Amino acid sequence: MTSSRIADRVRRIKQSPSSAAAERAAELRRQGKDIVNLVVGEPDFDTPAHIRHAAAAAIEAGQTRYTATAGTPALRQAIAAKFKRENGLDYAPNEIIATCGAKHAIFNALAITVQSGDEVLVPAPYWVSYPDMVLACDGTPVIVPCVEADGFKLTPTTLERAITPRTKWLILNSPSNPTGATYTIDELRALATVLERHPQVLVMTDDIYEHIRFGDQPTPHLLNAAPALRERTLLVNGVSKTYAMTGWRIGYAAGPADLVGALDILQSQSTSNPSSVSQAAALAALTGDQSFVAEFAEVYRRRRDRGLALINAIPGLSCRTPDGAFYLFINCGGLLGRTTPEGRVLESDIDVVMYFLESTGVALVAGTAYGLSPYMRMSIATSVETIEEGCRRMAGAVTALR
Ligand code: PLP
């Protein structure tokens, strides 16, 4: 049995359900099926020209060698300036590390801290990778359900109930993938009051969707609400979503010196620095013209409004208005118990998603993958025409149900 060669902690994890859904959609398309792909979790814009040109210039200037493990001094300085400018937070460059994407920062942060038996609180619906990353680091993910009636957000009561003496981390993702839920400063203050009673709990804030925000106010950060948590908070962010740079693989983390120091050591013995050319591109992104960031957000807002109107007009489907990120998290509970034209009863969100895929070629991801059912995630990081076509097909498929 070759599987026995693989360590137990790795055998506990599975492929990301969103990549599995994306691969399935791609496979059906290769087979010649007409697929409307509403799975994608990345901006559909090109990386802006000035960023691409900075990368090309870096190659020509010979910036093609190893850099400091934690990233070039210039990039770390630019990240520190970003925290000051956009979040009102003070971080010195030596409290910052650049990583190969935010995902890498989150994984390494768990790897340097989590011991067997340690619990990591993961509010659900969650980004699919958190629980598996915890498992891969030999920890125990503790899923904390956050229901639609609470806006899919953690409340002080649910947080208090979930904390035990083994709790190592709370992961907070605002705006959230998949719901778009974004904590207000008052909600963050209320959560901080609970955290203040449990000094052993570290907090990881995954701020990757910070700038994909539909209101006119900046996304509040936990540390704006509760500066006293600074000594046990690790901020994770990156350029992937804000600057349409998913393929460049640059993320970063900022936090207390012991955590960032351990991240640096682990990175030095694993990946070393993130790509030097991508670092030059990220530097240009963070220090260059920022006007298109709001323009991207405005495009997503128009798509969100169109998608919401169409989905909420389909009997049996409903969707709360997301405050940020680029997804609609759609309640499909109204379709459960209905029967397909082939005589199959829809019993779960997985059945609903399969029905939409097989009958009309619309690819979505089931809410089960994000730890809350019965829902499905629809990406709006695609054209309005694609969103309209997907919704038109879903409406037809719902009409065909008995
Ligand atoms: N965090 C969340 C909530 C995400 O949705 C994603 C990507 O889908 C990431 C982190 C990963 O970002 P990166 O591309 O910087 O690794």
Side-chain angles (χ1 to χ4, degrees):
M1 279 269 284
T2 48
S3 66
S4 61
R5 295 185 199 173
I6 308 301
D8 288 348
R9 65 175 188 284
V10 175
R11 281 160 62 191
R12 289 157 79 195
I13 68 176
K14 55 188 182 317
Q15 188 197 13
S16 148
S18 13
S19 355
E23 278 170 25
R24 174 89 185 118
E27 187 191 311
L28 287 171
R29 199 170 261 167
R30 272 195 301 276
Q31 290 169 12
K33 301 233 163 68
D34 173 21
I35 299 296
V36 179
N37 187 344
L38 299 174
V39 169
V40 278
E42 62 180 336
D44 54 323
F45 306 107
D46 287 333
T47 303
H50 69 281
I51 300 175
R52 302 197 307 266
H53 296 159
I59 294 173
E60 292 307 323
Q63 291 176 32
T64 51
R65 301 178 190 277
Y66 293 130
T67 71
T69 299
T72 61
L75 177 59
R76 278 183 285 158
Q77 184 59 54
I79 296 167
K82 172 260 180 275
F83 281 127
K84 186 73 184 161
R85 177 179 76 235
E86 297 179 352
N87 310 99
L89 299 173
D90 288 301
Y91 281 92
N94 65 0
E95 295 173 297
I96 292 167
I97 182 167
T99 56
C100 308
K103 195 174 212 169
H104 185 216
I106 299 167
F107 185 89
N108 280 2
L110 295 169
I112 59 160
T113 52
V114 172
Q115 318 235 43
S116 177
D118 283 349
E119 296 173 356
V120 177
L121 302 184
V122 181
Y126 47 72
W127 178 44
V128 292
S129 294
Y130 301 136
D132 286 283
M133 286 188 187
V134 175
L135 289 170
C137 295
D138 225 8
T140 305
V142 174
I143 307 303
V144 189
C146 300
V147 293
E148 188 171 350
D150 290 334
F152 300 116
K153 291 181 198 173
L154 196 58
T155 66
T157 316
T158 44
L159 174 60
E160 182 73 68
R161 249 191 253 129
I163 295 175
T164 76
R166 299 307 310 258
T167 306
K168 189 81 179 221
W169 284 102
L170 163 67
I171 302 181
L172 263 192
N173 173 216
S174 172
S176 142
N177 173 6
T179 64
T182 305
Y183 290 88
T184 65
I185 193 91
D186 289 340
E187 288 165 341
L188 292 168
R189 248 182 231 123
L191 295 178
T193 306
V194 176
L195 291 165
E196 275 154 18
R197 289 198 283 275
H198 301 277
Q200 88 281 12
V201 180
L202 298 167
V203 188
M204 196 179 324
T205 65
D206 178 347
D207 308 321
I208 196 84
Y209 291 101
E210 167 184 34
H211 288 295
I212 303 178
R213 172 100 171 98
F214 305 127
D216 40 17
Q217 295 302 315
T219 305
H221 194 274
L222 179 69
L223 292 183
N224 304 137
L229 292 175
R230 188 185 194 279
E231 277 316 298
R232 50 184 168 121
T233 298
L234 188 76
L235 293 82
V236 175
N237 207 327
V239 296
S240 289
K241 315 283 177 175
T242 303
Y243 300 102
M245 292 178 69
T246 46
W248 299 79
R249 309 311 302 132
I250 296 291
Y252 50 88
D258 60 332
L259 292 183
V260 173
L263 285 172
D264 194 5
I265 291 171
L266 180 62
Q267 192 156 295
S268 77
Q269 298 294 15
S270 49
T271 55
S272 299
N273 60 274
S275 150
S276 58
V277 174
S278 294
Q279 288 189 60
L283 175 64
L286 290 166
T287 55
D289 173 30
Q290 304 291 308
S291 59
F292 64 89
V293 174
E295 285 161 23
F296 284 177
E298 178 54 22
V299 172
Y300 290 124
R301 195 190 56 73
R302 283 202 295 271
R303 294 169 177 177
R304 175 201 69 169
D305 291 347
R306 184 75 182 128
L308 266 181
L310 292 170
I311 289 294
N312 283 324
I314 301 176
L317 297 183
S318 64
C319 187
R320 269 192 102 254
T321 306
D323 313 306
F326 38 58
Y327 311 99
L328 300 184
F329 199 59
I330 303 166
N331 187 327
C332 59
L335 299 185
L336 301 189
R338 305 275 298 276
T339 307
T340 69
E342 294 74 38
R344 204 153 154 249
V345 178
L346 300 177
E347 287 174 353
S348 67
D349 52 19
I350 298 176
D351 288 351
V352 174
V353 164
M354 281 312 290
Y355 172 61
F356 283 138
L357 183 63
E358 306 294 340
S359 68
T360 66
V362 176
L364 305 149
V365 188
T368 310
Y370 308 94
L372 200 73
S373 303
Y375 292 90
M376 44 191 206
R377 190 191 78 170
M378 170 176 148
S379 171
I380 51 166
T382 184
S383 68
V384 169
E385 292 71 33
T386 305
I387 293 167
E388 288 174 344
E389 176 62 10
C391 292
R392 190 189 65 73
R393 292 190 193 188
M394 281 191 270
V398 167
T399 310
L401 292 172
R402 284 180 273 133

